[in-house]
């Protein structure tokens, strides 16, 4: 538990969306029964806020609408999108609970604010600043790139199959490294899917344009470069011209994409080192088991293994959000997502637009975790240990990170606040903030023989 987070319960209400959360509440309701707030009056730290969130969730699950309203009123008194770390985090969890309540009880609870988070589109330059803000993404880039360098040694051709939610932001540094090799750079081919999960960060240009810019950079560095986009022509042919212009905002069928992961469609070549890179991406493949008791997530891993890659990199947030229990997801997400809020608080002012925008993206994630169920709930993280076990079950073998990678990652973290650190857990590298796990990085090969190569 993050006991260092503290916020005082103020006497005056700081409304998150609107002075009145629901039509049915025109004045402050009676506080919840003492047992619902036991130990949470006087001061409101992270543990007490979490307790209130869980009481509210339990009330919604048990149809205790009045109690849920009462707890929301208390939370509304501490929530503020421009307050301290606790207040800002609470505002997004409160919003998500209200959104869930308005879906379950549309006649009993009428949410006065908008339940739609406005998505912003960034330029490539803005995206670069976004991933540099805290090492949430760069940690995985750095750890993965160094292991890729080791795996492709001696190859004249390298093919990276890239699945990432930060369009190609990992590769300029990689290309720059290749350009500096004394023996000259190998030719580099990067293949990406034509679609991505509709989650932040989003850019204002197509993936084809991203590839074109990356190609210009590679040309400037004298690195032979090719950029390919995996496209499902059956899907593309059924789309309107408007949908084609906005292809990355279209909802694609992941199962259709999986059918394209074969040597022929990917134009794999015998003389190239194949690298499969998954950065914050696998969580969006459904883990629901269908048919032969296998999930799309497992199917993807099996298909990737059959491509016989030189190495597979798997990076994601180290948190379990796969539970069907709402209270379990609230506990896990609250104790995980306070980290970026707390980290941003160390160097950005409360009214910073950059901070507000970054937190808004996290808020969208919180809303999906709490407000939605079924196929609409796409934020289905598994912890590093869970994902590692899944990889082993499919038949992959774990690759330990080399000492050079550890040195490079530590050098990266030295550029950020002193709270950031790194630890080893088995063969994983784990990014930490004040000792709390944030992001894990793992490396895998499809056969035990590959470990000796």
């Amino acid at each position: 538990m993050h006991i260092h987070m503290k916020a005082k319960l103020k006497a005056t209400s700081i409304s998150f969306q609107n002075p009145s959360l629901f039509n049915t509440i025109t004045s402050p309701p009676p506080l919840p029964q003492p047992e619902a707030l036991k130990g949470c009056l006087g001061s409101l730290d992270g543990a007490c806020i979490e307790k209130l969130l869980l009481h509210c969730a339990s009330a919604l699950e048990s149809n205790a609408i009045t109690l849920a309203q009462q707890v929301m009123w208390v939370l509304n008194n501490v929530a503020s999108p421009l307050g301290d770390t606790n207040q800002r985090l609470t505002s997004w969890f409160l919003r998500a609970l209200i959104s869930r309540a308005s879906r379950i009880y549309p006649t009993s609870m009428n949410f006065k604010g908008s339940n739609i988070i406005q998505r912003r589109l960034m330029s490539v330059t803005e995206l670069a600043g976004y991933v540099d803000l805290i090492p949430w993404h760069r940690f995985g880039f750095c750890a993965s790139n160094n292991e890729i360098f080791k795996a492709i040694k001696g190859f004249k051709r390298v093919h990276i199959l890239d699945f990432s939610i930060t369009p190609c932001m990992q590769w300029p540094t990689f290309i720059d490294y290749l350009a500096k090799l004394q023996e000259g750079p190998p030719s580099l081919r990067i293949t990406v899917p034509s679609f991505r999960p509709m989650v932040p960060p989003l850019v204002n240009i197509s993936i084809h344009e991203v590839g074109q810019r990356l190609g210009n950079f590679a040309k400037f560095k004298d690195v032979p470069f090719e950029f390919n986009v995996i496209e499902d022509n059956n899907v593309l042919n059924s789309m309107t011209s408007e949908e084609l212009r906005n292809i990355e905002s279209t909802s694609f069928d992941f199962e259709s994409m999986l059918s394209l992961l074969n040597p022929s469609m990917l134009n794999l070549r015998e003389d190239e080192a194949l690298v499969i890179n998954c950065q914050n991406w696998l969580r969006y493949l459904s883990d629901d088991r269908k048919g032969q008791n296998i999930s799309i997530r497992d199917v993807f891993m099996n298909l990737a293994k059959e491509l016989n890659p030189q190495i597979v990199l798997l990076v994601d947030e180290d948190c379990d959000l796969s539970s069907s229990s709402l209270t379990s997801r609230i506990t896990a997400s609250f104790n995980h997502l306070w980290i970026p809020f707390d980290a941003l608080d160390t160097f950005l002012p409360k009214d910073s637009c950059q901070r507000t925008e970054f937190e808004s993206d996290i808020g969208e994630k919180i809303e999906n975790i709490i407000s939605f169920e079924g196929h609409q709930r796409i934020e289905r993280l598994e912890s590093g240990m869970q994902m590692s076990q899944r990889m082993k079950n499919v038949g992959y073998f774990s690759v330990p990170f080399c000492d050079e990678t550890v040195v490079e990652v530590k050098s990266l973290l030295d550029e950020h606040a002193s709270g950031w650190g790194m630890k080893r857990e088995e063969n994983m590298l784990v990014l930490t903030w004040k000792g709390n796990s944030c992001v894990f990085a793992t490396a895998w090969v499809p056969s035990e023989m590959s470990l000796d190569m």
Side-chain angles (χ1 to χ4, degrees):
M1 184 62 61
H2 41 94
I3 58 175
H4 59 278
M5 296 174 60
K6 293 185 179 293
K8 297 296 182 182
L9 180 60
K10 297 185 177 180
T12 55
S13 174
I14 306 173
S15 177
F16 172 49
Q17 286 291 337
N18 195 285
S20 174
L21 295 177
F22 307 104
N23 276 351
T24 54
I25 300 179
T26 56
S27 60
L31 284 176
Q33 295 299 313
E35 61 267 22
L37 282 176
K38 188 175 182 180
C40 286
L41 295 176
S43 67
L44 208 59
D45 62 8
C48 287
I49 292 173
E50 180 185 345
K51 188 174 182 180
L52 285 169
L53 293 171
L54 292 175
H55 276 305
C56 185
S58 297
L60 290 176
E61 296 294 274
S62 59
N63 299 320
I65 303 175
T66 300
L67 177 58
Q69 288 177 323
Q70 291 171 332
V71 179
M72 286 179 182
W73 187 273
V74 176
L75 287 167
N76 187 53
N77 275 272
V78 75
S80 170
L82 296 176
D84 62 21
T85 300
N86 269 357
Q87 292 173 317
R88 298 168 87 102
L89 183 63
T90 303
S91 70
W92 286 106
F93 274 89
L94 176 58
R95 177 192 180 109
L97 283 169
I98 294 172
S99 177
R100 182 182 180 92
S102 66
R103 295 174 195 277
I104 300 174
Y105 309 108
T107 56
S108 300
M109 291 181 147
N110 184 14
F111 178 36
K112 287 288 191 177
S114 170
N115 61 0
I116 298 175
I117 297 175
Q118 295 297 321
R119 289 181 172 137
R120 61 192 177 97
L121 299 179
M122 298 183 225
S123 68
V124 173
T125 302
E126 289 171 330
L127 178 60
Y130 180 93
V131 300
D132 284 338
L133 200 58
I134 57 176
W136 207 260
H137 295 284
R138 289 287 184 199
F139 166 80
F141 295 170
C142 182
S144 299
N145 282 352
N146 277 274
E147 291 303 307
I148 295 172
F149 297 150
K150 184 175 69 171
I152 65 173
K153 189 175 182 180
F155 283 88
K156 296 298 182 183
R157 296 177 183 272
V158 178
H159 184 184
I160 298 174
L161 189 54
D162 186 31
F163 298 94
S164 173
I165 63 167
T166 52
C168 295
M169 291 305 299
Q170 182 175 344
W171 306 124
T173 302
F174 185 81
I175 291 171
D176 187 57
Y177 172 86
L178 295 181
K180 295 175 182 176
L181 292 175
Q182 286 187 347
E183 64 272 26
S187 65
L188 175 63
R189 182 157 63 115
I190 295 178
T191 298
V192 300
S194 61
F195 64 96
R196 66 187 297 283
M198 276 303 297
V199 296
L202 301 171
V203 291
N204 60 5
I205 60 174
S206 71
I207 190 61
H208 295 82
E209 291 177 86
V210 171
Q212 187 176 41
R213 296 189 184 194
L214 199 59
N216 291 338
F217 179 74
K219 184 177 180 180
F220 174 72
K221 291 291 183 177
D222 292 323
V223 175
F225 183 78
E226 182 181 338
F227 189 81
N228 301 119
V229 180
I230 310 173
E231 295 178 329
D232 187 341
N233 290 326
N234 292 328
V235 174
L236 294 176
N237 291 336
S238 67
M239 294 168 64
T240 66
S241 57
E242 179 65 22
E243 288 173 328
L244 284 170
R245 284 195 296 272
N246 297 283
I247 189 168
E248 290 180 292
S249 66
T250 305
S251 176
F252 277 79
D253 185 349
F254 279 106
E255 293 184 54
S256 176
M257 181 276 295
L258 293 178
S259 68
L260 304 177
L261 295 183
N262 62 74
S264 176
M265 291 298 297
L266 295 172
N267 190 26
L268 299 187
R269 302 161 188 167
E270 291 185 3
D271 61 342
E272 65 184 8
L274 177 64
V275 174
I276 298 180
N277 183 65
C278 299
Q279 302 274 334
N280 302 288
W281 199 86
L282 276 184
R283 74 176 87 159
Y284 298 109
L285 295 183
S286 173
D287 60 346
D288 291 335
R289 297 188 176 276
K290 302 176 182 179
Q292 299 178 338
N293 196 34
I294 188 169
S295 67
I296 294 179
R297 199 171 292 183
D298 289 326
V299 170
F300 174 86
M301 291 175 171
N302 274 307
L303 289 173
K305 186 171 181 284
E306 291 172 6
L307 297 175
N308 195 32
Q310 194 72 14
I311 192 168
V312 176
L313 289 311
L314 176 56
V315 176
D316 217 323
E317 295 173 35
D318 196 12
C319 179
D320 179 14
L321 297 176
S322 60
S323 176
S324 60
S325 164
L326 174 61
T327 54
S328 294
R329 296 201 306 272
I330 286 177
T331 296
S333 58
F334 186 79
N335 284 281
H336 174 65
L337 293 174
W338 71 270
I339 294 172
F341 279 80
D342 192 51
L344 292 171
D345 190 56
T346 63
F347 67 96
L348 289 178
K350 288 180 170 57
D351 59 352
S352 164
C353 290
Q354 195 175 23
R355 178 178 176 179
T356 302
E357 289 171 348
F358 198 101
E359 290 174 346
S360 177
D361 290 345
I362 303 170
E364 181 174 339
K365 183 185 303 183
I366 292 170
E367 179 139 3
N368 187 265
I369 293 166
I370 294 174
S371 182
F372 293 92
E373 297 292 349
H375 70 277
Q376 291 181 305
R377 181 166 63 84
I378 63 172
E379 291 287 345
R380 293 172 179 259
L381 273 169
E382 290 180 301
S383 69
M385 288 298 184
Q386 288 172 306
M387 287 301 299
S388 292
Q389 188 58 54
R390 189 184 285 269
M391 293 291 280
K392 292 173 184 176
N393 291 344
V394 173
Y396 286 92
F397 293 85
S398 178
V399 180
F401 286 89
C402 64
D403 292 339
E404 291 83 353
T405 297
V406 172
V407 171
E408 286 291 328
V409 172
K410 285 182 176 178
S411 177
L412 168 72
L413 298 182
D414 286 342
E415 300 172 7
H416 293 271
S418 59
W420 294 106
M422 180 188 64
K423 63 182 178 180
R424 289 179 183 264
E425 288 187 1
E426 296 186 357
N427 283 342
M428 289 192 301
L429 288 186
V430 181
L431 174 70
T432 64
W433 171 253
K434 297 180 179 178
N436 297 274
S437 297
C438 309
V439 178
F440 70 87
T442 56
W444 304 86
V445 291
S447 69
E448 196 167 14
M449 290 176 57
S450 301
L451 291 171
D452 301 322
M453 294 179 64

